[in-house]
Amino acid sequence: MADDTDAIVIGSGLAGLTAAAELADAGKRVLILEQEGENSLGGQAFWSLGGLFMVGSPEQRRMRIRDSRELALQDWMGSAGFDREEDHWPRKVAEAFVDFAAGEMRSWLYQMGMRWFPVVGWAERGGAQAHGHGNSVPRFHITWGTGPGVVEPFERRVRAHAEHGLVTQKFRHRATRLVNRRAP
């Protein structure tokens, strides 16, 4: 099985479904290993309120919330406290995510059919200034359908790829170690 696979995704939560869908969209053969049963597809995201962090959205503008990539990054950095040399890569990931949340994230999700309530709420509310923990403006966009509404577009894509043989899902399987047979 592993010889017929380009990528192995461990876990079928939202991140795993997203990775598998994107890999299969690129023509890669993907094996998803999930320790839970198929009823747990989507992981914790399925049971969540379905809120997404987005920056500078039409929903925010409608509510007269002034937001920007710079403010969101300042909020994030105020919470993260990246002040050590080993924080280089976590800082880069945070910067990339804020860029995505302020850029193509909403249109990418919208194209897959995701929609949001017209009210933006608070998650990790901070003070009125962007230098401490939390968000200085509301950025929590609740998806129509809550958690299941967030999972559905990715589940649909993975299932379509499974029907065409690009994705194989193995439920009740655990990964206990990683072996690199190509290493010298």
PDB file of all heavy atoms in Angstrom, residues 72-91:
ATOM      1  N   ALA A  72      -3.794  42.610  12.608  1.00  0.00           N
ATOM      2  CA  ALA A  72      -3.956  41.203  12.977  1.00  0.00           C
ATOM      3  C   ALA A  72      -2.615  40.580  13.355  1.00  0.00           C
ATOM      4  O   ALA A  72      -2.514  39.829  14.330  1.00  0.00           O
ATOM      5  CB  ALA A  72      -4.604  40.429  11.830  1.00  0.00           C
ATOM      6  N   LEU A  73      -1.574  40.907  12.597  1.00  0.00           N
ATOM      7  CA  LEU A  73      -0.254  40.364  12.918  1.00  0.00           C
ATOM      8  C   LEU A  73       0.260  40.936  14.235  1.00  0.00           C
ATOM      9  O   LEU A  73       0.836  40.206  15.050  1.00  0.00           O
ATOM     10  CB  LEU A  73       0.737  40.654  11.782  1.00  0.00           C
ATOM     11  CG  LEU A  73       2.098  40.004  11.935  1.00  0.00           C
ATOM     12  CD1 LEU A  73       1.980  38.471  11.982  1.00  0.00           C
ATOM     13  CD2 LEU A  73       3.021  40.415  10.794  1.00  0.00           C
ATOM     14  N   GLN A  74       0.008  42.201  14.479  1.00  0.00           N
ATOM     15  CA  GLN A  74       0.406  42.802  15.748  1.00  0.00           C
ATOM     16  C   GLN A  74      -0.305  42.119  16.912  1.00  0.00           C
ATOM     17  O   GLN A  74       0.313  41.820  17.941  1.00  0.00           O
ATOM     18  CB  GLN A  74       0.104  44.297  15.730  1.00  0.00           C
ATOM     19  CG  GLN A  74       0.597  45.037  16.948  1.00  0.00           C
ATOM     20  CD  GLN A  74       0.341  46.534  16.849  1.00  0.00           C
ATOM     21  OE1 GLN A  74      -0.012  47.054  15.795  1.00  0.00           O
ATOM     22  NE2 GLN A  74       0.517  47.231  17.956  1.00  0.00           N
ATOM     23  N   ASP A  75      -1.610  41.845  16.756  1.00  0.00           N
ATOM     24  CA  ASP A  75      -2.356  41.123  17.791  1.00  0.00           C
ATOM     25  C   ASP A  75      -1.749  39.744  18.025  1.00  0.00           C
ATOM     26  O   ASP A  75      -1.579  39.305  19.163  1.00  0.00           O
ATOM     27  CB  ASP A  75      -3.819  40.960  17.382  1.00  0.00           C
ATOM     28  CG  ASP A  75      -4.631  42.232  17.500  1.00  0.00           C
ATOM     29  OD1 ASP A  75      -4.136  43.220  18.084  1.00  0.00           O
ATOM     30  OD2 ASP A  75      -5.778  42.230  17.008  1.00  0.00           O
ATOM     31  N   TRP A  76      -1.479  39.037  16.932  1.00  0.00           N
ATOM     32  CA  TRP A  76      -0.944  37.677  17.033  1.00  0.00           C
ATOM     33  C   TRP A  76       0.399  37.689  17.763  1.00  0.00           C
ATOM     34  O   TRP A  76       0.644  36.894  18.661  1.00  0.00           O
ATOM     35  CB  TRP A  76      -0.777  37.073  15.642  1.00  0.00           C
ATOM     36  CG  TRP A  76      -0.564  35.597  15.646  1.00  0.00           C
ATOM     37  CD1 TRP A  76       0.445  34.906  16.266  1.00  0.00           C
ATOM     38  CD2 TRP A  76      -1.367  34.613  15.019  1.00  0.00           C
ATOM     39  NE1 TRP A  76       0.327  33.562  16.050  1.00  0.00           N
ATOM     40  CE2 TRP A  76      -0.795  33.359  15.281  1.00  0.00           C
ATOM     41  CE3 TRP A  76      -2.518  34.674  14.241  1.00  0.00           C
ATOM     42  CZ2 TRP A  76      -1.320  32.170  14.795  1.00  0.00           C
ATOM     43  CZ3 TRP A  76      -3.037  33.499  13.759  1.00  0.00           C
ATOM     44  CH2 TRP A  76      -2.448  32.260  14.041  1.00  0.00           C
ATOM     45  N   MET A  77       1.261  38.611  17.359  1.00  0.00           N
ATOM     46  CA  MET A  77       2.588  38.665  17.971  1.00  0.00           C
ATOM     47  C   MET A  77       2.495  39.070  19.436  1.00  0.00           C
ATOM     48  O   MET A  77       3.273  38.613  20.267  1.00  0.00           O
ATOM     49  CB  MET A  77       3.497  39.619  17.195  1.00  0.00           C
ATOM     50  CG  MET A  77       3.810  39.147  15.788  1.00  0.00           C
ATOM     51  SD  MET A  77       4.542  37.485  15.770  1.00  0.00           S
ATOM     52  CE  MET A  77       4.371  37.083  14.046  1.00  0.00           C
ATOM     53  N   GLY A  78       1.529  39.916  19.774  1.00  0.00           N
ATOM     54  CA  GLY A  78       1.339  40.299  21.173  1.00  0.00           C
ATOM     55  C   GLY A  78       0.932  39.117  22.029  1.00  0.00           C
ATOM     56  O   GLY A  78       1.302  39.019  23.197  1.00  0.00           O
ATOM     57  N   SER A  79       0.172  38.196  21.452  1.00  0.00           N
ATOM     58  CA  SER A  79      -0.244  36.999  22.187  1.00  0.00           C
ATOM     59  C   SER A  79       0.852  35.947  22.219  1.00  0.00           C
ATOM     60  O   SER A  79       1.060  35.280  23.220  1.00  0.00           O
ATOM     61  CB  SER A  79      -1.489  36.381  21.541  1.00  0.00           C
ATOM     62  OG  SER A  79      -2.596  37.223  21.707  1.00  0.00           O
ATOM     63  N   ALA A  80       1.539  35.775  21.093  1.00  0.00           N
ATOM     64  CA  ALA A  80       2.504  34.678  20.967  1.00  0.00           C
ATOM     65  C   ALA A  80       3.775  34.916  21.771  1.00  0.00           C
ATOM     66  O   ALA A  80       4.369  33.967  22.286  1.00  0.00           O
ATOM     67  CB  ALA A  80       2.858  34.465  19.496  1.00  0.00           C
ATOM     68  N   GLY A  81       4.209  36.145  21.864  1.00  0.00           N
ATOM     69  CA  GLY A  81       5.435  36.429  22.602  1.00  0.00           C
ATOM     70  C   GLY A  81       6.660  35.763  21.984  1.00  0.00           C
ATOM     71  O   GLY A  81       7.504  35.237  22.703  1.00  0.00           O
ATOM     72  N   PHE A  82       6.749  35.764  20.668  1.00  0.00           N
ATOM     73  CA  PHE A  82       7.907  35.170  19.997  1.00  0.00           C
ATOM     74  C   PHE A  82       9.135  36.031  20.284  1.00  0.00           C
ATOM     75  O   PHE A  82       9.364  37.048  19.642  1.00  0.00           O
ATOM     76  CB  PHE A  82       7.688  35.101  18.479  1.00  0.00           C
ATOM     77  CG  PHE A  82       6.599  34.163  18.045  1.00  0.00           C
ATOM     78  CD1 PHE A  82       5.721  34.537  17.043  1.00  0.00           C
ATOM     79  CD2 PHE A  82       6.465  32.907  18.605  1.00  0.00           C
ATOM     80  CE1 PHE A  82       4.715  33.679  16.619  1.00  0.00           C
ATOM     81  CE2 PHE A  82       5.471  32.045  18.191  1.00  0.00           C
ATOM     82  CZ  PHE A  82       4.597  32.425  17.192  1.00  0.00           C
ATOM     83  N   ASP A  83       9.930  35.606  21.245  1.00  0.00           N
ATOM     84  CA  ASP A  83      11.092  36.407  21.610  1.00  0.00           C
ATOM     85  C   ASP A  83      12.365  35.576  21.747  1.00  0.00           C
ATOM     86  O   ASP A  83      13.371  36.057  22.239  1.00  0.00           O
ATOM     87  CB  ASP A  83      10.810  37.169  22.914  1.00  0.00           C
ATOM     88  CG  ASP A  83      10.483  36.237  24.071  1.00  0.00           C
ATOM     89  OD1 ASP A  83      10.411  35.004  23.866  1.00  0.00           O
ATOM     90  OD2 ASP A  83      10.285  36.737  25.192  1.00  0.00           O
ATOM     91  N   ARG A  84      12.310  34.337  21.285  1.00  0.00           N
ATOM     92  CA  ARG A  84      13.486  33.472  21.381  1.00  0.00           C
ATOM     93  C   ARG A  84      13.979  33.127  19.979  1.00  0.00           C
ATOM     94  O   ARG A  84      13.223  33.190  19.014  1.00  0.00           O
ATOM     95  CB  ARG A  84      13.138  32.179  22.118  1.00  0.00           C
ATOM     96  CG  ARG A  84      12.604  32.415  23.524  1.00  0.00           C
ATOM     97  CD  ARG A  84      12.030  31.147  24.114  1.00  0.00           C
ATOM     98  NE  ARG A  84      10.949  30.673  23.241  1.00  0.00           N
ATOM     99  CZ  ARG A  84      10.370  29.487  23.341  1.00  0.00           C
ATOM    100  NH1 ARG A  84      10.762  28.636  24.258  1.00  0.00           N
ATOM    101  NH2 ARG A  84       9.395  29.136  22.524  1.00  0.00           N
ATOM    102  N   GLU A  85      15.227  32.734  19.873  1.00  0.00           N
ATOM    103  CA  GLU A  85      15.800  32.355  18.580  1.00  0.00           C
ATOM    104  C   GLU A  85      15.022  31.196  17.953  1.00  0.00           C
ATOM    105  O   GLU A  85      14.777  31.180  16.748  1.00  0.00           O
ATOM    106  CB  GLU A  85      17.266  31.964  18.776  1.00  0.00           C
ATOM    107  CG  GLU A  85      18.000  31.724  17.483  1.00  0.00           C
ATOM    108  CD  GLU A  85      19.473  31.462  17.700  1.00  0.00           C
ATOM    109  OE1 GLU A  85      20.112  32.205  18.469  1.00  0.00           O
ATOM    110  OE2 GLU A  85      19.977  30.498  17.083  1.00  0.00           O
ATOM    111  N   GLU A  86      14.570  30.246  18.763  1.00  0.00           N
ATOM    112  CA  GLU A  86      13.842  29.084  18.234  1.00  0.00           C
ATOM    113  C   GLU A  86      12.412  29.428  17.803  1.00  0.00           C
ATOM    114  O   GLU A  86      11.695  28.577  17.284  1.00  0.00           O
ATOM    115  CB  GLU A  86      13.837  27.920  19.224  1.00  0.00           C
ATOM    116  CG  GLU A  86      13.188  28.224  20.554  1.00  0.00           C
ATOM    117  CD  GLU A  86      14.184  28.598  21.634  1.00  0.00           C
ATOM    118  OE1 GLU A  86      15.202  29.254  21.333  1.00  0.00           O
ATOM    119  OE2 GLU A  86      13.940  28.234  22.788  1.00  0.00           O
ATOM    120  N   ASP A  87      12.004  30.665  17.961  1.00  0.00           N
ATOM    121  CA  ASP A  87      10.678  31.103  17.527  1.00  0.00           C
ATOM    122  C   ASP A  87      10.658  31.544  16.061  1.00  0.00           C
ATOM    123  O   ASP A  87       9.616  31.977  15.570  1.00  0.00           O
ATOM    124  CB  ASP A  87      10.185  32.269  18.398  1.00  0.00           C
ATOM    125  CG  ASP A  87       9.909  31.855  19.825  1.00  0.00           C
ATOM    126  OD1 ASP A  87       9.613  30.667  20.057  1.00  0.00           O
ATOM    127  OD2 ASP A  87       9.998  32.724  20.716  1.00  0.00           O
ATOM    128  N   HIS A  88      11.778  31.426  15.367  1.00  0.00           N
ATOM    129  CA  HIS A  88      11.847  31.870  13.975  1.00  0.00           C
ATOM    130  C   HIS A  88      10.764  31.216  13.113  1.00  0.00           C
ATOM    131  O   HIS A  88      10.001  31.910  12.439  1.00  0.00           O
ATOM    132  CB  HIS A  88      13.236  31.576  13.381  1.00  0.00           C
ATOM    133  CG  HIS A  88      13.315  31.846  11.915  1.00  0.00           C
ATOM    134  ND1 HIS A  88      13.437  33.117  11.410  1.00  0.00           N
ATOM    135  CD2 HIS A  88      13.244  31.012  10.842  1.00  0.00           C
ATOM    136  CE1 HIS A  88      13.444  33.057  10.086  1.00  0.00           C
ATOM    137  NE2 HIS A  88      13.338  31.796   9.716  1.00  0.00           N
ATOM    138  N   TRP A  89      10.680  29.886  13.110  1.00  0.00           N
ATOM    139  CA  TRP A  89       9.718  29.201  12.255  1.00  0.00           C
ATOM    140  C   TRP A  89       8.276  29.352  12.731  1.00  0.00           C
ATOM    141  O   TRP A  89       7.383  29.574  11.905  1.00  0.00           O
ATOM    142  CB  TRP A  89      10.106  27.733  12.050  1.00  0.00           C
ATOM    143  CG  TRP A  89      11.326  27.659  11.158  1.00  0.00           C
ATOM    144  CD1 TRP A  89      12.575  27.242  11.507  1.00  0.00           C
ATOM    145  CD2 TRP A  89      11.405  28.075   9.793  1.00  0.00           C
ATOM    146  NE1 TRP A  89      13.420  27.374  10.441  1.00  0.00           N
ATOM    147  CE2 TRP A  89      12.733  27.875   9.367  1.00  0.00           C
ATOM    148  CE3 TRP A  89      10.495  28.614   8.885  1.00  0.00           C
ATOM    149  CZ2 TRP A  89      13.161  28.183   8.085  1.00  0.00           C
ATOM    150  CZ3 TRP A  89      10.920  28.914   7.598  1.00  0.00           C
ATOM    151  CH2 TRP A  89      12.239  28.696   7.209  1.00  0.00           C
ATOM    152  N   PRO A  90       8.012  29.295  14.025  1.00  0.00           N
ATOM    153  CA  PRO A  90       6.642  29.588  14.452  1.00  0.00           C
ATOM    154  C   PRO A  90       6.198  30.998  14.032  1.00  0.00           C
ATOM    155  O   PRO A  90       5.060  31.211  13.623  1.00  0.00           O
ATOM    156  CB  PRO A  90       6.695  29.452  15.973  1.00  0.00           C
ATOM    157  CG  PRO A  90       7.793  28.468  16.203  1.00  0.00           C
ATOM    158  CD  PRO A  90       8.817  28.766  15.138  1.00  0.00           C
ATOM    159  N   ARG A  91       7.112  31.959  14.077  1.00  0.00           N
ATOM    160  CA  ARG A  91       6.792  33.326  13.642  1.00  0.00           C
ATOM    161  C   ARG A  91       6.470  33.333  12.151  1.00  0.00           C
ATOM    162  O   ARG A  91       5.509  33.966  11.720  1.00  0.00           O
ATOM    163  CB  ARG A  91       7.957  34.259  13.927  1.00  0.00           C
ATOM    164  CG  ARG A  91       7.734  35.691  13.398  1.00  0.00           C
ATOM    165  CD  ARG A  91       8.985  36.543  13.547  1.00  0.00           C
ATOM    166  NE  ARG A  91       9.355  36.731  14.914  1.00  0.00           N
ATOM    167  CZ  ARG A  91       8.916  37.702  15.699  1.00  0.00           C
ATOM    168  NH1 ARG A  91       8.072  38.593  15.225  1.00  0.00           N
ATOM    169  NH2 ARG A  91       9.314  37.803  16.932  1.00  0.00           N
TER     170      ARG A  91
END
